[in-house]
Amino acid sequence: MTEDFCRLCQRASADGRGEALFGRDADEYGAAAAEAVGKSSLAHTGRVHYYFEFPLIGRPGLDIMVQYRCGSLLPGASFLKGDGFGYQQFFGELAQDRSFAEYQGFFAFDLSEGVRRPNVYLMPQLARANCEYVPRMLQLLGEEGRTERTMRAFAAAPPGWQPYYAGLMKTREGAPTRLGFVTRAGLVGLYAADRAMIARDFGVYYPGGVPGAVCEQLMCLAKATEEDACWDIQLNLLADGSFDDYLGITPDMGFRYNDVRHSERTLEGDRVGKIMGLLESWNCADGRWHRMGEACCGIQRMAGYKTDAGTIVRRKVADAIQLNAVKVRLKRTGAYLAKGYLIATTWDP
């Protein structure tokens, strides 16, 4: 895994992109990321995906996520080095519980903040977004004390917000539970025309109600988002059952349909341009987002290895780096940062 990750990171960083997107300390970040991946390595039978996460304004940096499909983990899955930051039992249970076979387990590392321990997510497929699995997840994590307030918060979701996933953010201030929602089709179009609806829906969770500046920006973002597209909404639930005043909004920009051969063209399209132009006008992003497409690639090669019997076996291998998402972060004073995401993997086709 570490070799695969380093090769993918080098491809994404080539031709000056590492400095532009990940920073002058890209080599340092890369070394920290490689160490994190090494300690995340599980015996498995399927593909691992790596997410490169970086700010689109201000000082560049690199955070990573490592994603496993739970059904690809070998029974009794164990980490190759150490105990997986204390999550050995959690991932071992995910490997054995077939009800999680189509779920994705994540380690999320805030490397740019100097944090070397991960946060943890468990996420269903988008088409099967739900929160029914969350009590079992928290039990496996030894965090049953969070269950009642977490499920109460999911149950309070406004009409049109589908509970989607949960994460345990123990490395963040206050060690919140991250709650993720996905909007139902058509809701973003309603937000584009009805500021009062935005205030009502987000006010369910936002401490003291949604400030006018935040409502205005959410309405503008809804207008820039295609009517049939959805938002992924992230909130942080604190230990006392309240929420902090940070929001994360990831608008659907169509990246999941992206062909790596046309990534730069995708970024030049109206769908992306409207949202990124808005984020630039808010000083949440600068021109570096254009380089995200340059970092994408799809490469196939023939690789050979020698068997114990001395026979040379050849197989086709491939690397792929794709556009994944752009997320905007907001606080009570409004939007303040956009982050870009690339998703990378290597496999034997």
Side-chain angles (χ1 to χ4, degrees):
M1 277 179 58
T2 304
E3 291 180 0
D4 290 340
F5 172 81
C6 288
R7 186 179 61 255
L8 291 162
C9 193
Q10 287 169 0
R11 293 195 192 283
S13 300
D15 300 323
R17 292 186 296 272
E19 182 173 341
L21 298 177
F22 309 146
R24 293 183 178 179
D25 299 327
D27 290 342
E28 179 183 338
Y29 286 138
E35 179 183 357
V37 170
K39 292 181 179 179
S40 303
S41 296
L42 275 162
H44 64 285
T45 56
R47 254 187 268 175
V48 179
H49 289 80
Y50 309 100
Y51 292 77
F52 304 137
E53 176 184 349
F54 41 92
L56 295 177
I57 200 167
R59 181 183 178 184
L62 175 65
D63 297 327
I64 65 166
M65 292 189 288
V66 182
Q67 173 196 299
Y68 288 100
R69 187 176 68 84
C70 296
S72 75
L73 303 177
L74 295 173
S78 60
F79 289 87
L80 302 179
K81 297 180 181 179
D83 66 351
F85 307 93
Y87 294 108
Q88 171 69 69
Q89 183 176 354
F90 176 65
F91 277 89
E93 292 289 343
L94 294 180
Q96 295 182 49
D97 190 336
R98 301 310 298 173
S99 69
F100 288 125
E102 297 304 318
Y103 283 63
Q104 311 292 341
F106 293 80
F107 278 147
F109 294 88
D110 294 333
L111 299 176
S112 62
E113 301 296 327
V115 180
R116 297 297 184 261
R117 296 186 62 80
N119 298 304
V120 180
Y121 288 89
L122 184 62
M123 187 179 299
Q125 296 177 340
L126 177 59
R128 299 178 180 177
N130 74 93
C131 63
E132 284 76 15
Y133 73 95
V134 173
R136 172 67 171 154
M137 166 192 162
L138 293 174
Q139 177 192 20
L140 294 176
L141 288 167
E143 295 285 344
E144 296 95 330
R146 298 174 183 253
T147 300
E148 182 179 354
R149 63 178 178 270
T150 299
M151 299 310 292
R152 187 166 60 245
F154 274 131
W161 288 30
Q162 171 62 50
Y164 181 11
Y165 59 86
L168 180 61
M169 315 299 283
K170 293 194 77 171
T171 74
R172 301 282 179 90
E173 182 179 356
T177 306
R178 170 66 55 84
L179 306 187
F181 302 83
V182 61
T183 59
R184 297 188 187 277
L187 181 62
V188 172
L190 296 177
Y191 284 162
D194 193 340
R195 179 172 169 170
M197 181 180 289
I198 292 174
R200 182 199 69 192
D201 286 1
F202 283 86
V204 170
Y205 299 110
Y206 214 77
V210 187
V214 174
C215 276
E216 184 64 28
Q217 287 185 324
L218 290 174
M219 189 173 185
C220 289
L221 184 60
K223 290 177 179 178
T225 306
E226 293 199 358
E227 288 188 6
D228 62 344
C230 298
W231 285 353
D232 178 320
I233 301 171
Q234 294 182 344
L235 303 163
N236 295 322
L237 175 63
L238 301 175
D240 63 359
S242 66
F243 288 82
D244 66 22
D245 60 359
Y246 290 88
L247 294 171
I249 307 289
T250 304
D252 180 358
M253 300 168 78
F255 289 167
R256 66 182 177 277
Y257 307 118
N258 174 249
D259 185 328
V260 295
R261 295 169 297 180
H262 306 300
S263 297
E264 293 175 72
R265 188 185 308 168
T266 299
L267 289 178
E268 294 170 356
D270 289 343
R271 182 171 188 169
V272 176
K274 288 180 181 178
I275 293 176
M276 295 311 303
L278 185 64
L279 298 183
E280 285 191 90
S281 74
W282 293 343
N283 294 316
C284 292
D286 57 28
R288 77 186 70 171
W289 65 269
H290 293 281
R291 304 210 67 180
M292 289 175 61
E294 299 172 19
C296 296
C297 67
I299 299 172
Q300 292 186 348
R301 294 286 188 270
M302 295 302 297
Y305 65 94
K306 185 179 291 187
T307 66
D308 292 341
T311 304
I312 300 297
V313 177
R314 296 187 177 278
R315 72 190 193 283
K316 185 183 292 183
V317 296
D319 285 344
I321 304 173
Q322 295 174 278
L323 299 170
N324 176 251
V326 171
K327 177 171 72 176
V328 58
R329 291 180 173 179
L330 304 96
K331 51 188 177 181
R332 297 199 70 82
T333 54
Y336 68 97
L337 177 65
K339 302 196 79 172
Y341 294 79
L342 302 173
I343 184 170
T345 190
T346 185
W347 76 100
D348 299 346

